[in-house]
Amino acid sequence: MSRRIVALAGNPNVGKSTVFNELTSMHRHTGNWIGKTVDAKGADFYYKFNDYTLYDLPGTYSLSSASPEEEIAEAFIKRNSSDCIVCVVDSTMLERSLVLVYQVLSLTDKAVVLLNLCDEAQRKGIFIDSEKLAKSLGVPVVKATARSGKGLNELLEQIHLVTTCAVKPQPERLSDKAEIYERAKAVARNCSSTSKPFKLSALDKIMLGKFTSFISMALIFGILLFITIRLSNYPSELLKSLLDRFELFLSSSAENAGIPQFLNDMLIGGVLRVLFWVVSVMLPPMAIFFPLFALLEDFGLLPRIAFNLDRGFEKCSACGKQSLTCCMGLGCNAVGVTGARIIDSKRERLIAIITNSFIPCNGRFPILIAVISMFFSKSPLMSAVILLGFLVISVAFSMLASFILGKTVLRGKPSEFVMEMPPYRRPQFIKTILISVKEKVVFVLLRAVAVAAPAGLIIYLLAKITINGSSVLTIISGALDPLGRLMGLDGVILLAFLLGFPANEIVIPIILMGYLSSSSLSDYSSLDSLFQILSDNGWTVKTALCTCVFSMFHFPCSTTLITIYKETRSLKWTFVSVIVPLLTGIILCILINILT
């Protein structure tokens, strides 16, 4: 028995990924904006003694090959290897969806139309006569609400009938583009009716208002950061305590087993201690920030934030879609770089990739939170406000860098960015949180651990090896000290950022190691003890400010840098992605040092 191929096609944000997840029992993250799926994902399902492979094609408005999404979807359908194409339609926007449906029907007659989001259509007073629509299109039409699973059994049955040739659709074939638009408009008018006039929701009047949009954005992110800061301290301390005990147990066990002391110190006091630090410092904020961020996305707020930023990026000769990659970069810059695939223009895609490191990722939050809490405010609320201010500055400099690149090495006019505002939807709390933890928290943590292990070994060796009585760590920090002093920092801080290249979370403990002349990663019991150590080594408010600024603007971490090279396939642009934020950070720190 051969396996049958089924593909899901449709506009962005019509619920294709939700249908995919429900039919295949997978849990792909479903974003509430365009460009979330940029390639075809496949999985298997079983129905009535038949094996099927279901492919989720990228969301696209047409099959004109004007973007990577359209190229992938068009190429897949044109291969004519599918036994059935399911055209997923937004029931609240029938006319727009029918344009793509008619383009698909011009390429294949093995199709089923799924009217998704029927619950939202009902709330808006929209009624679609599915029987009349089926007669007009010449293919089966199924009504559904994929989020609740309603209508999907009927969809499976129609897929079965089409793939087994029990039903042979006879679609209306249209080839002329103008004719398709006219026919879509006529069919939508004939097969649907509306009982309620469209009104902008009260929430959208605030989120998209001329004077309230940026205030509401700042308030949302301020609350998000406050929750992250307020709740992450306790689990971080608990986790660190547990891992410290585990480290002592391993060290004692290694000693009892007769393992040489130098090997014990190197592997446990060096490599393992760095790993444990990264886990204890990085895991709690990520476990709070990522799920909350995902819930905002699922609710429909992030597309509106991106929409508000669109005009600013357009004026900077960049694409409005770059605002989406900035939002992605808040979680992880590597994800933001990958997300730049949604930008059609190569020039604008490069601008988005080069400047994404201007957005502080979750890995830089521990440094910023710790320094802000010690030198600027001990109040979690005020710390959140200050951190929000740094985020606003980072977005402003991202736009400025985009403007400079767009007027110099990457000249060109910004392309048009059409973005629909998805409706607000009740988040699927449990599913969204579980998916966020699995796909973001665990994934990013494992990646950080993988790069932190060799960093721990290098740090240990640099601190252990001595030349003329001084450790290599001390010698290098001494050589960097003049530049550090010019930037309002010192050589130890600069060296910590260099050694923190694999993972930004280890910058502060490396600073402590340098100040305390320790051969292993140093720890601190509280922010008060850390503040005392830093103050004793010359830290002032100016030093703290310059450290925060350089934390926001410096070279990308190793994971992001590797991702940049994979996306650009160019050493030149990878190098530019390092130099642009690094020079920005150096210049800003020097200016702060001179002017304050």
Side-chain angles (χ1 to χ4, degrees):
M1 180 173 57
S2 62
R3 181 176 296 276
R4 293 178 168 87
I5 304 298
V6 180
L8 298 174
N11 298 153
N13 201 46
V14 296
K16 291 189 297 84
S17 294
T18 303
V19 175
F20 181 89
N21 293 340
E22 293 294 330
L23 295 186
T24 62
S25 299
M26 292 185 65
H27 300 287
R28 275 190 60 211
H29 181 53
T30 53
N32 215 359
W33 57 41
I34 64 170
K36 200 67 183 179
T37 308
V38 292
D39 53 3
K41 302 294 185 182
D44 299 333
F45 69 93
Y46 182 79
Y47 184 75
K48 285 191 174 181
F49 306 105
N50 290 297
D51 292 322
Y52 294 89
T53 296
L54 181 66
Y55 288 96
D56 182 13
L57 301 182
T60 176
Y61 292 102
S62 69
L63 299 178
S64 59
S65 298
S67 69
E69 293 96 330
E70 294 173 6
E71 290 176 0
I72 294 169
E74 183 180 16
F76 191 99
I77 297 172
K78 279 186 174 181
R79 284 202 301 265
N80 202 26
S81 58
S82 301
D83 296 285
C84 181
I85 302 291
V86 177
C87 297
V88 184
V89 168
D90 184 347
S91 297
T92 66
M93 299 182 178
L94 181 60
E95 180 182 335
R96 188 201 65 185
S97 299
L98 286 179
V99 173
L100 179 63
V101 170
Y102 273 114
Q103 291 182 340
V104 171
L105 296 182
S106 68
L107 299 175
T108 180
D109 56 359
K110 301 174 183 178
V112 175
V113 171
L114 180 69
L115 291 174
N116 194 28
L117 306 175
C118 286
D119 55 337
E120 293 183 8
Q122 184 177 7
R123 285 197 296 269
K124 293 181 178 181
I126 299 173
F127 172 76
I128 299 176
D129 189 329
S130 57
E131 293 184 2
K132 184 183 289 187
L133 181 61
K135 290 180 181 179
S136 298
L137 297 176
V139 298
V141 175
V142 178
K143 282 190 171 184
T145 301
R147 287 166 65 90
S148 63
K150 184 178 180 181
L152 295 186
N153 286 334
E154 184 182 351
L155 172 63
L156 286 171
E157 181 63 21
Q158 292 299 330
I159 291 173
H160 172 71
L161 294 175
V162 171
T163 57
T164 58
C165 297
V167 168
K168 295 184 178 180
Q170 296 180 335
E172 181 181 13
R173 296 291 183 88
L174 302 173
S175 57
D176 183 71
K177 187 174 182 179
E179 182 183 11
I180 287 176
Y181 279 92
E182 288 298 323
R183 184 59 177 161
K185 184 177 182 179
V187 170
R189 187 187 301 116
N190 186 44
C191 298
S192 65
S193 59
T194 305
S195 59
K196 298 178 182 178
F198 171 76
K199 290 183 179 180
L200 195 66
S201 68
L203 188 54
D204 267 343
K205 289 180 180 179
I206 297 174
M207 289 300 303
L208 304 177
K210 182 177 181 181
F211 301 105
T212 59
S213 57
F214 288 97
I215 296 176
S216 59
M217 284 166 49
L219 183 61
I220 289 170
F221 273 100
I223 294 173
L224 181 64
L225 295 172
F226 171 74
I227 295 174
T228 302
I229 294 171
R230 189 73 178 86
L231 298 183
S232 62
N233 290 332
Y234 304 113
S236 181
E237 292 175 3
L238 177 60
L239 188 57
K240 186 66 173 66
S241 176
L242 293 174
L243 292 176
D244 282 345
R245 294 179 184 179
F246 185 53
E247 180 187 332
L248 290 174
F249 169 76
L250 291 178
S251 181
S252 177
S253 300
E255 186 176 346
N256 293 334
I259 296 177
Q261 188 62 41
F262 82 91
L263 196 59
N264 188 343
D265 292 341
M266 183 173 64
L267 296 180
I268 297 177
V271 175
L272 201 60
R273 187 170 295 178
V274 173
L275 293 181
F276 285 171
W277 174 273
V278 170
V279 172
S280 62
V281 172
M282 189 174 181
L283 181 57
M286 283 199 311
I288 297 171
F289 182 84
F290 276 139
L292 290 177
F293 199 75
L295 288 173
L296 288 180
E297 179 185 345
D298 202 28
F299 181 58
L301 284 178
L302 293 190
R304 287 159 173 84
I305 292 174
F307 177 80
N308 291 330
L309 294 175
D310 167 48
R311 183 175 297 178
F313 280 102
E314 182 183 1
K315 290 183 177 180
C316 294
S317 298
C319 176
K321 290 182 181 179
Q322 186 173 330
S323 57
L324 302 178
T325 68
C326 284
C327 291
M328 298 177 194
L330 275 174
C332 175
N333 290 135
V335 174
V337 170
T338 304
R341 296 176 187 174
I342 65 175
I343 301 175
D344 303 334
S345 165
K346 181 180 179 181
R347 180 191 73 87
E348 294 168 339
R349 188 160 60 248
L350 282 172
I351 292 177
I353 289 174
I354 293 169
T355 59
N356 196 264
S357 294
F358 279 76
I359 306 300
C361 66
N362 191 65
R364 284 181 261 180
F365 283 172
I367 308 172
L368 294 170
I369 291 173
V371 174
I372 288 171
S373 300
M374 286 185 293
F375 287 89
F376 299 106
S377 174
K378 294 186 181 296
S379 165
L381 179 59
M382 185 55 63
S383 295
V385 172
I386 296 172
L387 181 55
L388 177 62
F390 279 123
L391 289 180
V392 172
I393 292 172
S394 71
V395 173
F397 272 90
S398 176
M399 289 183 175
L400 177 61
S402 298
F403 177 79
I404 294 173
L405 289 169
K407 296 298 182 181
T408 55
V409 295
L410 290 169
R411 292 189 189 90
K413 294 182 178 179
S415 59
E416 294 183 356
F417 172 36
V418 179
M419 182 179 184
E420 67 170 278
M421 285 296 104
Y424 292 104
R425 294 169 181 163
R426 179 176 59 84
Q428 297 174 297
F429 287 93
I430 296 178
K431 180 182 289 188
T432 300
I433 291 172
L434 290 177
I435 293 173
S436 177
V437 170
K438 175 185 176 182
E439 295 188 355
K440 292 184 178 178
V441 176
V442 175
F443 174 74
V444 174
L445 182 64
L446 290 177
R447 186 172 55 192
V449 167
V451 298
L457 180 60
I458 294 173
I459 294 168
Y460 175 84
L461 294 175
L462 289 177
K464 197 70 174 178
I465 299 173
T466 60
I467 300 176
N468 297 326
S470 299
S471 70
V472 176
L473 194 69
T474 303
I475 294 173
I476 298 176
S477 64
L480 292 172
D481 199 63
L483 176 59
R485 298 292 177 183
L486 180 62
M487 296 170 57
L489 307 172
D490 60 33
V492 172
I493 300 173
L494 282 187
L495 179 58
F497 276 105
L498 289 174
L499 295 179
F501 171 64
N504 287 287
E505 294 76 18
I506 61 177
V507 169
I508 287 182
I510 297 174
I511 291 175
L512 292 180
M513 183 191 302
Y515 288 151
L516 300 176
S517 301
S518 172
S519 61
S520 62
L521 196 65
S522 301
D523 191 13
Y524 57 92
S525 57
S526 67
L527 285 179
D528 290 335
S529 61
L530 174 59
F531 175 77
Q532 188 62 48
I533 294 172
L534 297 179
S535 298
D536 290 344
N537 284 274
W539 275 56
T540 62
V541 172
K542 181 166 68 173
T543 312
L545 178 59
C546 291
T547 300
C548 288
V549 170
F550 196 64
S551 177
M552 290 195 303
F553 307 121
H554 67 283
F555 44 81
C557 70
S558 59
T559 303
T560 303
L561 203 60
I562 292 171
T563 305
I564 291 173
Y565 177 74
K566 287 182 178 179
E567 292 297 314
T568 63
R569 294 294 178 185
S570 168
L571 290 174
K572 170 188 172 182
W573 294 118
T574 304
F575 177 73
V576 172
S577 300
V578 173
I579 290 299
V580 170
L582 180 59
L583 284 180
T584 301
I586 292 174
I587 292 171
L588 285 176
C589 286
I590 292 175
L591 289 175
I592 292 172
N593 185 40
I594 293 174
L595 298 176
T596 57

mmCIF file of all heavy atoms in Angstrom, residues 64 66 97 212 219 252 265 356 376 389 401 445 515 569:
data_model
loop_
_atom_site.group_PDB
_atom_site.id
_atom_site.type_symbol
_atom_site.label_atom_id
_atom_site.label_comp_id
_atom_site.label_asym_id
_atom_site.label_seq_id
_atom_site.Cartn_x
_atom_site.Cartn_y
_atom_site.Cartn_z
ATOM 1 N N SER A 64 3.059 33.542 -7.321
ATOM 2 C CA SER A 64 3.746 34.291 -8.380
ATOM 3 C C SER A 64 5.258 34.260 -8.250
ATOM 4 O O SER A 64 5.956 34.953 -8.965
ATOM 5 C CB SER A 64 3.271 35.748 -8.369
ATOM 6 O OG SER A 64 3.538 36.338 -7.100
ATOM 7 N N ALA A 66 7.260 35.480 -6.040
ATOM 8 C CA ALA A 66 7.864 36.767 -5.704
ATOM 9 C C ALA A 66 8.614 36.736 -4.378
ATOM 10 O O ALA A 66 9.285 37.678 -4.020
ATOM 11 C CB ALA A 66 6.786 37.848 -5.658
ATOM 12 N N SER A 97 -8.786 35.008 0.438
ATOM 13 C CA SER A 97 -8.335 33.618 0.428
ATOM 14 C C SER A 97 -8.641 32.915 -0.882
ATOM 15 O O SER A 97 -7.886 32.051 -1.323
ATOM 16 C CB SER A 97 -8.975 32.853 1.593
ATOM 17 O OG SER A 97 -8.613 33.400 2.843
ATOM 18 N N THR A 212 -1.180 56.326 21.541
ATOM 19 C CA THR A 212 -1.194 55.294 22.594
ATOM 20 C C THR A 212 -0.395 54.046 22.243
ATOM 21 O O THR A 212 -0.120 53.230 23.124
ATOM 22 C CB THR A 212 -2.635 54.872 22.898
ATOM 23 O OG1 THR A 212 -3.249 54.367 21.687
ATOM 24 C CG2 THR A 212 -3.446 56.043 23.418
ATOM 25 N N LEU A 219 4.515 49.616 28.058
ATOM 26 C CA LEU A 219 3.884 49.072 29.262
ATOM 27 C C LEU A 219 3.903 47.543 29.244
ATOM 28 O O LEU A 219 4.202 46.902 30.257
ATOM 29 C CB LEU A 219 2.448 49.585 29.370
ATOM 30 C CG LEU A 219 1.672 49.167 30.628
ATOM 31 C CD1 LEU A 219 2.376 49.693 31.871
ATOM 32 C CD2 LEU A 219 0.234 49.679 30.556
ATOM 33 N N SER A 252 34.242 15.264 45.451
ATOM 34 C CA SER A 252 34.607 14.318 46.514
ATOM 35 C C SER A 252 34.677 12.896 45.976
ATOM 36 O O SER A 252 35.605 12.130 46.308
ATOM 37 C CB SER A 252 33.582 14.401 47.646
ATOM 38 O OG SER A 252 33.859 13.452 48.647
ATOM 39 N N ASP A 265 40.354 19.315 39.216
ATOM 40 C CA ASP A 265 40.178 20.770 39.174
ATOM 41 C C ASP A 265 39.786 21.249 37.779
ATOM 42 O O ASP A 265 38.944 22.148 37.629
ATOM 43 C CB ASP A 265 41.475 21.461 39.603
ATOM 44 C CG ASP A 265 41.780 21.235 41.080
ATOM 45 O OD1 ASP A 265 40.846 20.868 41.816
ATOM 46 O OD2 ASP A 265 42.942 21.411 41.481
ATOM 47 N N ASN A 356 20.724 42.635 13.845
ATOM 48 C CA ASN A 356 19.930 41.916 14.845
ATOM 49 C C ASN A 356 20.642 41.814 16.188
ATOM 50 O O ASN A 356 19.991 41.753 17.242
ATOM 51 C CB ASN A 356 19.573 40.515 14.335
ATOM 52 C CG ASN A 356 18.459 39.881 15.136
ATOM 53 O OD1 ASN A 356 18.687 39.103 16.063
ATOM 54 N ND2 ASN A 356 17.228 40.214 14.785
ATOM 55 N N PHE A 376 22.006 50.840 40.017
ATOM 56 C CA PHE A 376 20.998 51.832 39.639
ATOM 57 C C PHE A 376 19.728 51.764 40.484
ATOM 58 O O PHE A 376 19.164 52.792 40.839
ATOM 59 C CB PHE A 376 20.649 51.692 38.159
ATOM 60 C CG PHE A 376 21.812 51.916 37.246
ATOM 61 C CD1 PHE A 376 22.423 50.858 36.590
ATOM 62 C CD2 PHE A 376 22.316 53.192 37.051
ATOM 63 C CE1 PHE A 376 23.507 51.061 35.751
ATOM 64 C CE2 PHE A 376 23.398 53.406 36.211
ATOM 65 C CZ PHE A 376 24.004 52.337 35.569
ATOM 66 N N GLY A 389 14.267 50.881 29.276
ATOM 67 C CA GLY A 389 14.940 52.007 28.627
ATOM 68 C C GLY A 389 16.106 51.560 27.773
ATOM 69 O O GLY A 389 16.303 52.063 26.648
ATOM 70 N N ALA A 401 21.642 52.101 12.697
ATOM 71 C CA ALA A 401 22.592 51.277 11.943
ATOM 72 C C ALA A 401 21.988 50.836 10.618
ATOM 73 O O ALA A 401 22.678 50.797 9.590
ATOM 74 C CB ALA A 401 22.997 50.058 12.776
ATOM 75 N N LEU A 445 19.093 26.407 25.822
ATOM 76 C CA LEU A 445 19.930 26.011 26.946
ATOM 77 C C LEU A 445 20.952 24.962 26.544
ATOM 78 O O LEU A 445 22.141 25.063 26.884
ATOM 79 C CB LEU A 445 19.061 25.482 28.084
ATOM 80 C CG LEU A 445 19.802 25.062 29.352
ATOM 81 C CD1 LEU A 445 20.485 26.264 29.988
ATOM 82 C CD2 LEU A 445 18.861 24.399 30.338
ATOM 83 N N TYR A 515 39.365 39.482 38.973
ATOM 84 C CA TYR A 515 39.599 40.342 40.134
ATOM 85 C C TYR A 515 40.148 39.574 41.333
ATOM 86 O O TYR A 515 40.968 40.093 42.100
ATOM 87 C CB TYR A 515 38.298 41.038 40.540
ATOM 88 C CG TYR A 515 37.855 42.117 39.593
ATOM 89 C CD1 TYR A 515 36.511 42.427 39.434
ATOM 90 C CD2 TYR A 515 38.785 42.859 38.859
ATOM 91 C CE1 TYR A 515 36.094 43.430 38.563
ATOM 92 C CE2 TYR A 515 38.375 43.859 37.992
ATOM 93 C CZ TYR A 515 37.031 44.141 37.839
ATOM 94 O OH TYR A 515 36.623 45.127 36.982
ATOM 95 N N ARG A 569 26.257 32.786 3.890
ATOM 96 C CA ARG A 569 27.297 32.066 3.131
ATOM 97 C C ARG A 569 28.397 33.023 2.695
ATOM 98 O O ARG A 569 28.947 32.912 1.594
ATOM 99 C CB ARG A 569 26.688 31.359 1.909
ATOM 100 C CG ARG A 569 25.737 30.246 2.257
ATOM 101 C CD ARG A 569 26.440 29.111 2.945
ATOM 102 N NE ARG A 569 25.530 28.029 3.342
ATOM 103 C CZ ARG A 569 25.884 26.969 4.041
ATOM 104 N NH1 ARG A 569 27.138 26.850 4.440
ATOM 105 N NH2 ARG A 569 25.024 26.037 4.363
#
